[in-house]
Amino acid sequence: MAEQDAEYERMKRLLGIFFTDAMGHPADSPANPLNALAAIAEKQPAAARKGLAMAINDIVEMSNDQPPDYVRTLDAHLTAQGAMTLSEARARFSKRLKAILRRGTLKDETEYYLARNAVDLAAPEDAARLQAMIGAFESAVVALRE
């Protein structure tokens, strides 16, 4: 559990640094995702972990077109702050996406958002498979609500 807590903290640092330094928003902004995350974590720690994973996936997607020099510079800054690096986040979420593609189904909402964010960037054959999984997941959610 201590390892998971340390990983969660590293991911939170990435989120905070990316929001303030890379996107230029003040840390004390009401829109700061760390403030929302803290509020969720107080009542629903598992939901906060899921939300943080989704936010990191969004960072990976938003930074996908950044040049290698930008990534190296940001990674160095993140490392100095004890945060998960962008390169590490990219690799981690890429591994999860590969696992989803191998399995052929989406297990939960976090995987759903990962697939949704990746579908436009995926190779055509992977995009088609992801789209099918997304559709199946959405249908299952609708069926549960009825």
Side-chain angles (χ1 to χ4, degrees):
M1 192 61 148
E3 186 176 315
Q4 283 182 332
D5 291 341
E7 187 72 0
Y8 180 78
E9 289 304 315
R10 291 180 67 239
M11 289 172 69
K12 273 180 34 181
R13 284 189 191 112
L14 167 57
L15 180 62
I17 291 167
F18 190 82
F19 184 84
T20 56
D21 297 356
M23 294 185 65
H25 297 288
D28 60 353
S29 166
N32 186 325
L34 289 179
N35 296 331
L37 187 66
I40 294 168
E42 281 183 31
K43 296 178 182 168
Q44 299 175 308
R49 288 186 184 281
K50 250 186 182 179
L52 180 58
M54 287 181 211
I56 298 300
N57 181 55
D58 289 344
I59 289 171
V60 168
E61 179 186 338
M62 288 187 303
S63 64
N64 202 40
D65 294 332
Q66 294 296 335
D69 287 344
Y70 172 88
V71 175
R72 276 192 293 277
T73 301
L74 182 58
D75 280 355
H77 179 65
L78 291 164
T79 298
Q81 302 298 317
M84 175 181 279
T85 65
L86 180 57
S87 295
E88 185 180 353
R90 284 176 168 177
R92 181 175 190 193
F93 284 93
S94 163
K95 286 178 190 173
R96 289 182 67 192
L97 190 59
K98 287 177 187 173
I100 291 167
L101 286 165
R102 271 193 308 275
R103 187 175 59 243
T105 59
L106 301 173
K107 292 191 303 188
D108 56 28
E109 191 176 354
T110 302
E111 288 190 355
Y112 168 78
Y113 284 106
L114 176 61
R116 238 183 59 188
N117 290 336
V119 73
D120 292 333
L121 305 170
E125 62 277 1
D126 290 342
R129 291 183 62 218
L130 288 171
Q131 196 60 54
M133 286 184 256
I134 290 166
F137 188 85
E138 289 171 344
S139 295
V141 168
V142 169
L144 286 174
R145 290 184 182 157
E146 294 178 341

